[in-house]
């Protein structure tokens, strides 16, 4: 389908609902912020992976909360689905419309207010469309740091990060996005505005609506502003890349590092196949000049230099095969490139089928072995290859299966069910940090009980009774 399907006409004599909707949207945000031309819509219709492609009836770009409310009132009146979209870096297909051409994409890119950092409380109020990198610069200028960090920092927005409850590389020290959100402003499908931005650390006045919206993936409300906790910027930091004989040895070693390096901020793992891939796509140098089976990238930070502490802890690790320590920004960035380029390298040879999962840490080595074997056993005419890397400190494994790009839907579903079933068998979660989106929607029952899913449906029914917010995402149909 190349054009949006028209909405049904209204009462005889009324202008068609389509024209009414577009007129209301133009009145809400100004004509230049209602994009209907295919070229203007295109970047908003395909997700970062390129796997999820749809058609938007229009892309609207509100600048302030009142405009978001007017957009939602107009879409509610027309029964038009709304897809909230931030930086469009999501990896589960939740940020783009379906192919029906009925949905309006509500882009938060112009919701960019950035209040001064409140140094006394260590908090900041920020528009949902502000990118993580912009917020990081803003916080650092005031001597603070944003507790959550991730590779898509230049494009991912704080609204999207809250809506997905993003994790990233510092969860072992600071927790996920939900833990940083102390207040929220959001617009419901009705156009009603929830505003609770005072940032009171003590505020026991009923339900935690901000927490509820974290991880809601645009299905309950459009987040317009957030009150976020910051942490003091730590001036001294050191990273180390440690080579190991396998994943099991790394998990054991991580226990010692956690105990002996209080400033530990990150513990990220990858394996040789990932290094080979990143090197082949980006030409990165081999970190040790010789191959090793597995790698752990750790970073520690403090008010005093943590290098000696980290070096002493590494010294005590029997199974480390090689170690490279980097204490300046440039060598640290070089080590981080090896880890953070995994996603782009896989996309370059893919697209891969992405399974972002978590399992209890002690069982992680057995899980990754089982997953790699399972995927291999499911190979058909074309071999399937299972890459894995992730946030070891959080038990978060990113399984990426190559070889399914052109496979028929039923073959892909077979692999999805087998892999995610294996996760459930290992006591894990089918989504660690990316969310459910469209990708994992059929499999939510593997991680949530019928009673929990009934609770989800009741919440959805109460807050979005007509179901216009991001239909087809997160909630089982
Ligand atoms: P989008 O992709 O635009 O949207 C994501 C979801 O949130 C959609 O369901 C959308 O409808 C909803 N949404 C967006 N904005 C709002 C809003 N204001 N109100 C309500 N709903 C909204 N994720 C991690 O957790 N950890 C990582 O380490 C990580 N690394 C990444 C690295 C790369 C290279 C890439 C491409 C992605 C990575 N991601 C990671 C995934 C992605 O960056 C996160 O999910 C991020 O939180 C999405 O933010 P966004 O602004 O791009 O949201
Ligand atoms: C990461 O940790 O690099 C991201 O979550 C992206 C990915 O899973 O590819
Ligand atoms: Zn990740």
């Amino acid at each position: 389908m190349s054009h949006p399907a028209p909405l049904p006409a209204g009462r005889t004599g009324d202008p068609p609902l389509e024209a009414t909707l577009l007129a209301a949207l133009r009145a809400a945000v100004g004509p230049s912020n209602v994009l209907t031309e295919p070229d203007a819509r295109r970047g908003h219709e395909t997700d970062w992976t390129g796997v999820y492609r749809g058609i938007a009836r229009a892309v609207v770009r509100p600048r302030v909360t009142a405009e978001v409310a007017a957009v939602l009132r107009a879409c509610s009146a027309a029964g038009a689905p709304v897809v909230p979209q931030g930086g469009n870096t999501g990896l589960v297909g939740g940020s783009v419309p379906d192919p029906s051409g009925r949905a309006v994409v509500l882009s938060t890119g112009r919701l960019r207010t950035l209040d001064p950092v409140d140094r006394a409380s260590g908090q900041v109020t920020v528009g949902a469309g502000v990118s993580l990198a912009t917020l990081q610069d803003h916080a650092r200028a005031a001597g603070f740091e944003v507790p959550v960090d991730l590779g898509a920092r230049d494009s991912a927005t704080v609204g999207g990060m809250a809506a997905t409850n993003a994790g990233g590389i510092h969860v072992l020290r600071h927790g996920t996005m939900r833990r940083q959100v102390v207040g929220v402003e959001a617009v419901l499908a009705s156009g009603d505005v929830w505003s609770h931005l005072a940032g009171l650390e003590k505020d026991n006045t009923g339900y935690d609506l901000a927490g509820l919206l974290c991880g809601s993936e645009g299905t309950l409300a459009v987040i317009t502003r957030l009150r976020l906790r910051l942490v003091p910027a730590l001036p001294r930091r050191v990273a180390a890349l440690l080579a190991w004989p396998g994943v099991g040895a790394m998990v054991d070693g991580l226990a010692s590092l956690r105990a002996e390096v209080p400033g530990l901020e990150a513990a990220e793992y990858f394996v040789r196949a990932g290094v080979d891939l990143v090197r082949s796509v980006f030409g990165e140098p081999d970190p040790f000049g010789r191959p090793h089976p597995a790698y752990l990238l750790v970073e520690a930070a403090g008010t005093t230099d943590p290098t000696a502490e980290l070096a002493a802890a590494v010294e005590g690790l029997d199974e480390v095969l090689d170690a490279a320590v980097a204490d300046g920004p440039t060598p640290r960035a070089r080590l981080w490139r090896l880890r953070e380029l995994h996603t782009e390298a896989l996309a370059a040879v893919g697209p891969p089928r992405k399974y972002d999962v978590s399992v209890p840490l002690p069982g992680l080595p057995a899980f990754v072995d089982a997953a790699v074997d399972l995927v291999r056993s499911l190979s058909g005419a074309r071999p399937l290859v299972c890459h894995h890397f992730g946030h070891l400190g959080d038990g978060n494994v990113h399984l990426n299966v190559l070889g399914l790009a052109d496979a028929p839907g039923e073959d892909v579903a077979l692999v999805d069910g087998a892999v995610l079933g294996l996760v459930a068998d290992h006591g894990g979660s089918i989504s660690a940090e990316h969310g459910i989106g469209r990708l994992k929607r059929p499999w939510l029952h593997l991680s949530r009980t019928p009673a929990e899913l009934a609770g989800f449906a009741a919440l959805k029914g109460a807050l979005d009774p007509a179901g216009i917010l991001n239909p087809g995402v997160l909630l089982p149909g």
Side-chain angles (χ1 to χ4, degrees):
M1 179 189 295
S2 57
H3 296 291
L7 281 173
R11 290 191 312 271
T12 313
D14 284 350
L17 208 42
E18 177 72 17
T20 309
L21 172 61
L22 288 178
L25 295 176
R26 289 183 180 121
V29 298
S32 63
N33 290 304
V34 179
L35 314 178
T36 52
E37 291 305 314
D39 281 355
R41 297 191 325 249
R42 192 158 296 121
H44 299 271
E45 293 178 327
T46 301
D47 79 334
W48 190 90
T49 65
V51 171
Y52 290 90
R53 295 158 188 268
I55 297 172
R57 150 177 266 123
V59 177
V60 294
R61 305 187 305 165
R63 193 181 60 82
V64 292
T65 304
E67 292 183 1
V68 175
V71 168
L72 286 171
R73 277 195 300 271
C75 290
S76 276
V82 177
V83 179
Q85 187 182 85
N88 200 13
T89 66
L91 297 171
V92 289
S95 55
V96 289
D98 71 11
S100 72
R102 289 182 51 81
V104 170
V105 170
L106 190 160
S107 167
T108 63
R110 293 175 70 234
L111 298 170
R112 279 203 298 258
T113 54
L114 201 46
D115 288 7
V117 171
D118 175 349
R119 294 166 57 86
S121 63
Q123 297 176 0
V124 65
T125 301
V126 56
V130 170
S131 74
L132 172 58
T134 299
L135 181 61
Q136 285 175 328
D137 288 346
H138 184 64
R140 283 171 193 154
F144 287 86
E145 193 58 74
V146 183
V148 173
D149 192 14
L150 43 81
R153 56 186 73 80
D154 290 334
S155 304
T157 62
V158 294
M161 290 169 62
T164 56
N165 186 27
I169 57 180
H170 290 155
V171 171
L172 76 85
R173 184 146 188 189
H174 301 302
T176 64
M177 194 65 182
R178 183 178 281 122
R179 208 201 282 176
Q180 326 310 331
V181 175
V182 71
V184 75
E185 179 188 83
V187 185
L188 302 181
S190 61
D192 290 346
V193 178
W194 282 352
S195 189
H196 205 77
L197 290 167
L200 301 172
E201 288 288 356
K202 290 192 150 181
D203 181 11
N204 276 348
T205 52
Y207 302 126
D208 176 10
L209 297 177
L212 175 64
L213 295 187
C214 290
S216 63
E217 301 186 42
T219 63
L220 297 181
V222 177
I223 297 167
T224 48
R225 283 196 293 168
L226 289 157
R227 181 81 175 174
L228 296 177
R229 293 188 182 93
L230 302 174
V231 290
L234 296 172
R236 307 302 300 270
R237 62 182 52 239
V238 60
L241 185 66
L242 311 176
W244 305 78
V247 176
M250 276 193 294
V251 171
D252 295 341
L254 179 60
S256 308
L257 290 168
R258 273 194 145 127
E260 289 162 35
V261 186
L264 196 66
E265 285 206 331
E268 300 284 310
Y269 93 92
F270 42 92
V271 296
R272 185 64 206 177
V275 172
D276 288 340
L277 181 65
V278 168
R279 295 187 66 225
S280 71
V281 175
F282 292 104
E284 294 295 301
D286 205 340
F288 297 111
R290 58 186 176 133
H292 292 296
Y295 302 84
L296 182 65
L297 175 57
V298 290
E299 184 157 313
T303 48
T304 56
D305 187 356
T307 305
E309 200 170 62
L310 180 62
V314 170
E315 196 75 6
L317 297 171
D318 296 338
E319 297 198 70
V320 170
L321 304 172
D322 248 329
V325 176
D327 58 1
T330 308
R332 270 195 288 116
R334 205 173 297 130
L335 293 185
W336 273 101
R337 277 175 64 78
L338 272 180
R339 163 63 181 88
E340 291 196 332
L341 286 174
H342 272 64
T343 307
E344 285 176 60
L346 282 156
V349 298
R353 192 80 179 159
K354 296 186 85 72
Y355 305 103
D356 152 49
V357 304
S358 61
V359 290
L361 204 37
L364 187 146
F367 168 75
V368 289
D369 285 349
V372 169
D373 287 349
L374 174 69
V375 169
R376 194 179 297 124
S377 76
L378 294 172
S379 290
R382 288 178 55 194
L384 301 180
V385 178
C386 182
H387 283 264
H388 63 99
F389 62 96
H391 313 282
L392 191 72
D394 318 324
N396 183 177
V397 178
H398 293 311
L399 299 170
N400 282 251
V401 175
L402 292 169
L404 284 170
D406 305 323
E410 57 271 25
D411 291 3
V412 177
L414 189 89
V415 178
D416 287 356
V419 170
L420 297 177
L422 185 75
V423 174
D425 292 346
H426 280 73
S429 167
I430 64 160
S431 174
E433 58 173 11
H434 296 164
I436 297 298
R438 297 182 191 281
L439 176 68
K440 292 181 186 160
R441 185 178 172 233
W443 307 104
L444 188 54
H445 63 277
L446 292 173
S447 284
R448 294 292 190 164
T449 64
E452 286 178 308
L453 293 175
F456 283 15
L459 285 166
K460 176 72 173 173
L463 297 179
D464 178 19
I468 66 160
L469 283 171
N470 230 359
V473 168
L474 170 59
L475 299 164

